[in-house]
Amino acid sequence: MKLLKNEELLKLNNKILNAYKDKDIVLGNGNVDSPIILIGEAPGAKEVEQRKPFVGQAGKYLNEFLTTLEIKREKVYITNIVKYRPTKESAKTGKLINRPPTEKEIEKFVDFLFAEICIIDPEVLVTLGNTPLKGIFQNDVKIGDVHGEMLQAEIDRKPYKVFPLYHPAAILYKRDLKDTYLKDLHILKGILSEMGVNI
Ligand code: URA
């Protein structure tokens, strides 16, 4: 079973790498048999440097949250919807800085994300922030309206549970979100334990 998933993932990853030969691609990473998949927005500079999702500042917060859930990071699968770093030139410094992915970029990557989800086939998709939500629901659902609630999405004709969390970097900018985030994590922890999900 595991070998099959790894083989399928390898094929998919090669497709992504071939489609974006001109970009520094950061692929999904972690336990392919994880019952949850964490889906972020897009890699930042540190992620590109290490070719691994969530290893920079946002990753530090994510690790804290996983500790709150008593989940070891290596036990889960972590990915981003957009798999290269979207950048723009800073008007102040002229240096490349992060920017949110455009609708077009999200649209271009959504089929790859759906294929990745179907291979991992987890019990719960945990989305981080607005961008993966936008990709999965293909409408203007906003994280502020749905965080901490279990939603349903049909992916490749299969129903999946989706639990939206704020993006971990959001609390960098809005400290008062931390309590909300912790509350949502406890809701998720309760749901996972009710579902009998052991990680
Ligand atoms: N933010 C994301 O959404 N993904 C990463 O991998 C890093 C930061």
Side-chain angles (χ1 to χ4, degrees):
M1 187 69 183
K2 193 161 184 168
L3 227 166
L4 238 175
K5 276 193 186 184
N6 280 329
E7 275 176 15
E8 283 183 59
L9 205 55
L10 195 66
K11 268 194 219 157
L12 173 69
N13 286 343
N14 279 333
K15 263 193 212 165
I16 301 172
L17 292 169
N18 270 324
Y20 290 93
K21 280 196 181 121
D22 55 333
K23 300 275 190 197
D24 291 323
I25 291 292
V26 178
L27 297 165
N29 180 275
N31 174 16
V32 294
D33 292 320
S34 172
I36 66 171
I37 177 170
L38 303 179
I39 309 168
E41 177 177 284
K46 267 267 173 329
E47 284 75 24
V48 168
E49 209 178 283
Q50 296 187 34
R51 299 289 165 133
K52 217 173 151 186
F54 285 100
V55 289
Q57 190 56 42
K60 281 193 190 136
Y61 283 110
L62 186 67
N63 290 346
E64 256 183 53
F65 302 146
L66 288 172
T67 305
T68 304
L69 288 172
E70 295 170 315
I71 291 175
K72 289 210 168 75
R73 184 176 163 129
E74 61 272 20
K75 295 255 171 107
V76 297
Y77 186 87
I78 307 178
T79 194
N80 287 300
I81 177 162
V82 172
K83 288 179 170 56
Y84 59 76
R85 178 187 176 211
T87 55
K88 64 179 181 186
E89 219 171 85
S90 157
K92 261 195 211 159
T93 63
K95 285 188 187 160
L96 285 185
I97 55 170
N98 295 343
R99 62 164 171 81
T102 61
E103 304 243 328
K104 251 214 171 108
E105 285 171 323
I106 297 171
E107 217 179 282
K108 279 192 178 162
F109 272 101
V110 80
D111 286 345
F112 287 135
L113 178 69
F114 284 177
E116 194 176 12
I117 290 169
C118 290
I119 293 169
I120 305 296
D121 196 26
E123 299 199 36
V124 181
L125 320 179
V126 178
T127 55
L128 306 169
N130 270 318
T131 306
L133 266 188
K134 230 186 242 176
I136 288 172
F137 291 102
Q138 306 189 349
N139 63 21
D140 247 347
V141 55
K142 290 271 185 308
I143 186 66
D145 298 331
V146 293
H147 68 92
E149 261 178 56
M150 192 61 95
L151 309 177
Q152 291 269 351
E154 204 167 79
I155 295 172
D156 213 11
R157 277 171 275 135
K158 189 176 169 190
Y160 279 97
K161 291 187 165 69
V162 181
F163 191 85
L165 285 175
Y166 277 102
H167 193 282
I171 60 162
L172 267 174
Y173 309 108
K174 281 194 192 165
R175 290 276 155 189
D176 52 336
L177 272 187
K178 187 148 187 182
D179 285 349
T180 310
Y181 213 113
L182 288 174
K183 226 187 250 167
D184 290 351
L185 284 176
H186 281 108
I187 296 172
L188 176 60
K189 197 171 167 180
I191 293 174
L192 292 176
S193 120
E194 261 172 39
M195 287 171 65
V197 169
N198 285 314
I199 309 180

